[in-house]
Amino acid sequence: MVIVHRVFRRESGLMPRFVRAVPEGDTARAAEIAEHYLDYAEGLHHHHAAEDELVWPLLLSRVRLETDMVVRMEDQHQRIDETLTRIAGILPEWRLTAAKGTGEKLAIAMEEHRAALIEHLDDEERHVLALIAEHMSVPEWEAVGARAVEQIAKEKLLLSMGAILEEATPEERRFFLGKLPAVARLLWRTVGRRQYAKRVRSLRGPLPA
């Protein structure tokens, strides 16, 4: 969970900067950033859906969780969804026009999203991870990650791997790659690593400090 959280922390922080750096009227660049955001939002949705389906029901059946913590997590998910809805209301117009004024509204909405997200991730890591480690088996926990991966389009799997591996420690990389089939590891070494590096170079060109 923590490795995936790093992806969401990193990308939610970069997104407003990407938007503000798009030149007025550069719709090609706006479309590229919009597509990246949609991939991010889809990944976040699948991550939360897997938690809602496979983590909370098990914990609630095995642990006497404090009601206020459960309510807090649910409220945070709702607030995050609301910020995503606001972004979705602005993104299409900005993608078509790359207008600076619309871009600024979009960047502010993305910053509000990040604030809600970081609060939630911090709480999960502070209060929930220990419960997962104590009350969920390894196969049960691995099923959570597998459920999220199942939802990723095949053509985007290698990019998703790259996003996860970017800030993984050597130990985390060995563990993550070790869980993959041999063919997936081969694809990552021969195709995925270069594909992800190209995507990063394209997205993270010169950015304002």
Side-chain angles (χ1 to χ4, degrees):
M1 180 185 287
V2 175
I3 299 177
V4 176
H5 283 186
R6 288 180 203 148
V7 177
F8 298 139
R9 290 175 185 274
R10 180 184 69 231
E11 299 304 325
S12 65
L14 287 171
M15 216 79 65
R17 298 176 63 199
F18 288 155
V19 170
R20 289 190 170 108
V22 172
E24 177 80 32
D26 189 345
T27 54
R29 177 63 174 172
E32 180 182 19
I33 301 307
E35 283 301 312
H36 181 61
Y37 166 78
L38 292 173
D39 287 346
Y40 159 87
E42 183 180 20
L44 182 61
H45 169 74
H46 293 323
H47 176 70
H48 281 171
E51 289 180 340
D52 291 340
E53 293 171 19
L54 300 177
V55 175
W56 285 110
L58 281 178
L59 289 182
L60 288 168
S61 69
R62 296 172 184 178
V63 188
R64 293 190 63 181
L65 297 176
E66 295 181 7
T67 302
D68 60 345
M69 185 178 77
V70 177
V71 171
R72 181 176 175 82
M73 293 289 141
E74 292 174 343
D75 286 347
Q76 288 173 348
H77 273 201
Q78 182 177 344
R79 286 200 297 276
I80 291 168
D81 287 344
E82 289 169 355
T83 64
L84 294 174
T85 299
R86 283 197 291 275
I87 292 170
I90 304 170
L91 187 68
E93 179 185 350
W94 177 74
R95 179 174 186 160
L96 287 174
T97 66
K100 278 293 185 181
T102 308
E104 182 59 24
K105 292 178 184 177
L106 180 60
I108 290 171
M110 287 176 167
E111 289 171 339
E112 292 171 350
H113 163 71
R114 175 174 167 75
L117 177 69
I118 295 302
E119 178 187 8
H120 175 63
L121 298 181
D122 286 348
D123 276 357
E124 269 196 347
E125 292 169 11
R126 188 179 300 115
H127 301 298
V128 179
L129 285 183
L131 296 176
I132 289 172
E134 184 176 355
H135 297 284
M136 290 180 66
S137 68
V138 172
E140 287 171 340
W141 179 239
E142 290 179 344
V144 178
R147 174 67 62 84
V149 170
E150 287 170 3
Q151 306 302 318
I152 300 173
K154 290 182 179 180
E155 66 271 16
K156 296 180 180 179
L157 276 173
L158 291 175
L159 292 174
S160 297
M161 285 175 58
I164 291 171
L165 291 170
E166 181 175 342
E167 294 183 34
T169 66
E171 294 78 11
E172 289 167 341
R173 288 177 65 89
R174 284 193 294 270
F175 177 82
F176 179 80
L177 292 172
K179 291 291 182 180
L180 299 176
V183 65
R185 293 194 296 272
L186 178 62
L187 282 171
W188 169 248
R189 289 195 300 269
T190 58
V191 179
R193 187 180 291 146
R194 289 196 301 273
Q195 185 184 66
Y196 182 69
K198 181 180 179 181
R199 173 74 173 268
V200 168
R201 285 195 300 271
S202 179
L203 284 168
R204 302 181 200 170
L207 290 172

